[in-house]
Amino acid sequence: MKLVKSWGLARAYIFQLNEKELYDNTYELCAPGVASERATLQDMPRDDLGSPFARAFRENSGYYISDMAAFKETDPMLYEVFSRQELSSLVLCPFYFETDLVGFVGVDEPKDMSLALPVMQIASSHMSGLLQKSFYVEKGASADSVTNLCSVTSFRHHVAYELAEIQANPGLKLDLVHFDIRNFKFFNKEHGLKAGDEMLKRLAQVIVQEVGSPWLVRPVADHFYALIPDSKVDQAIRNVHDAIIGDEAFGVSIRAGIYPLSASDQQVSFAMDRARIAANNAMNNYQNYYCRYEQKMEADLTLANYLLGHIDEAVAKGWINVLNALYPFSGNNHQELVENRFGHGLFRQGRGL
């Protein structure tokens, strides 16, 4: 509370990944008269590609906004979230566990931005040191209760180990593969949650059988990740697909995305994200049900999020209409990010277009 008063802060808070790979607000301290947001900020999507501060996190950078009015043009949807809280400035700084992004610390309305930036970097480093006792590690330590697969924590540790092996031996070719079930929510609605759990168990059994490795995890819902040697990945995915689609007891199909691990990968989270992005790009038919990650997929998703965030403005200004769907957005019309170095860290400033 002394820190909140001395900095003139509205809030100080910590967000950490939970066992479902979603963000929980695990700590919040509010100044007198400031309403708590913690109850409404649980199981928040990571949105690694949709928000400007998440893009900065991917590059080990913090993010700050010193002029909320200018930020409105950068990200209208996120601006609405911040404006409802009557914020004019904030600082966010990520922290890591064994090189992997697992959360961030933040403060709202710092009185002195030049002081807040280096102090927040120190706070994030401190969080990394304390993480062994955190909610994230404790909850992630147990195996999946539905499928009895390994825990998220164990899987991430093993992927980190394999990344170190690849860095030492660039000739090692290993893929991170994301599997999910098409229209799984509809399946649950039609057949019930018990049948849904049986489907998850069945898929887990098939993947383990075809992949021949214990390194398979289900972090949430119907999302599975597996490590598969690159030389075997195509055939393994085909075998999983054929076994599931041929199981008349369920009548579902799967899709998959492949992300080849490389020596340049620094964080497990982003490798998992890219495998999921590839799966989301798999064609919606039974023939083309898996694909490999391409960098263009990430760029396309970022652009799609940008367009969705500016669609109302585009319609209002006549840039798009029913007859003419052209819009004056170009590759150069992205937000400007000004990099400011403080100590050994890096922060990105949210600016207008």
Side-chain angles (χ1 to χ4, degrees), residues 4-19:
V4 169
K5 289 181 178 179
S6 63
W7 280 18
L9 301 176
R11 292 186 190 86
Y13 43 85
I14 299 171
F15 279 78
Q16 292 175 259
L17 286 178
N18 59 28
E19 73 277 15

Side-chain angles (χ1 to χ4, degrees), residues 217-239:
V217 71
R218 184 185 74 100
V220 64
D222 62 323
H223 299 278
F224 292 79
Y225 292 88
L227 281 170
I228 306 177
D230 186 71
S231 61
K232 300 179 179 179
V233 69
D234 292 273
Q235 190 60 55
I237 293 173
R238 294 191 194 106
N239 291 346

Side-chain angles (χ1 to χ4, degrees), residues 16-261:
Q16 292 175 259
L17 286 178
N18 59 28
E19 73 277 15
K20 295 181 287 186
E21 294 287 297
L22 302 172
Y23 279 126
D24 282 342
N25 185 345
T26 57
Y27 177 84
E28 182 187 57
L29 186 61
C30 300
V34 175
S36 172
E37 296 282 343
R38 184 176 179 184
T40 61
L41 298 177
Q42 304 297 321
D43 282 349
M44 301 293 292
R46 290 172 55 200
D47 194 20
D48 279 306
L49 298 171
S51 62
F53 67 82
R55 290 195 294 272
F57 287 0
R58 290 205 306 278
E59 299 177 5
N60 299 341
S61 301
Y63 194 83
Y64 71 94
I65 301 171
S66 56
D67 184 349
M68 193 62 68
F71 183 75
K72 181 177 182 179
E73 293 299 316
T74 300
D75 193 323
M77 289 190 292
L78 195 57
Y79 169 81
E80 290 299 323
V81 175
F82 291 149
S83 63
R84 284 197 299 270
Q85 301 176 35
E86 299 182 346
L87 299 180
S88 60
S89 62
L90 58 82
V91 180
L92 304 172
C93 194
F95 56 85
Y96 302 85
F97 178 62
E98 296 185 349
T99 75
D100 203 23
L101 173 67
V102 293
F104 62 91
V105 291
V107 293
D108 296 342
E109 310 291 2
K111 186 183 299 182
D112 186 342
M113 188 67 74
S114 64
L115 174 64
L117 298 179
V119 171
M120 290 299 288
Q121 289 179 343
I122 295 172
S124 70
S125 297
H126 183 61
M127 279 300 304
S128 296
L130 294 176
L131 200 55
Q132 289 286 356
K133 300 179 180 179
S134 74
F135 177 89
Y136 167 76
V137 171
E138 290 171 1
K139 291 293 184 180
S142 59
D144 176 23
S145 60
V146 175
T147 63
N148 203 34
L149 296 174
C150 73
S151 70
V152 174
T153 302
S154 296
F155 182 80
R156 291 160 69 102
H157 285 180
H158 185 73
V159 176
Y161 168 81
E162 294 292 358
L163 286 175
E165 290 291 300
I166 290 171
Q167 290 170 3
N169 178 18
L172 180 62
K173 304 296 182 183
L174 191 62
D175 297 334
L176 185 58
V177 181
H178 176 278
F179 294 91
D180 64 37
I181 301 168
R182 292 191 187 277
N183 301 316
F184 185 62
K185 289 182 180 178
F186 179 78
F187 181 91
N188 273 336
K189 185 176 181 180
E190 176 136 345
H191 300 283
L193 296 179
K194 185 176 180 180
D197 285 349
E198 290 301 317
M199 179 69 251
L200 295 174
K201 292 177 185 176
R202 172 59 177 155
L203 179 56
Q205 292 168 356
V206 171
I207 297 175
V208 168
Q209 177 182 332
E210 297 301 335
V211 172
S213 167
W215 295 113
L216 171 67
V217 71
R218 184 185 74 100
V220 64
D222 62 323
H223 299 278
F224 292 79
Y225 292 88
L227 281 170
I228 306 177
D230 186 71
S231 61
K232 300 179 179 179
V233 69
D234 292 273
Q235 190 60 55
I237 293 173
R238 294 191 194 106
N239 291 346
V240 171
H241 173 267
D242 292 346
I244 292 297
I245 202 171
D247 195 330
E248 297 179 0
F250 296 105
V252 299
S253 65
I254 60 103
R255 62 180 180 177
I258 304 168
Y259 178 69
L261 297 176

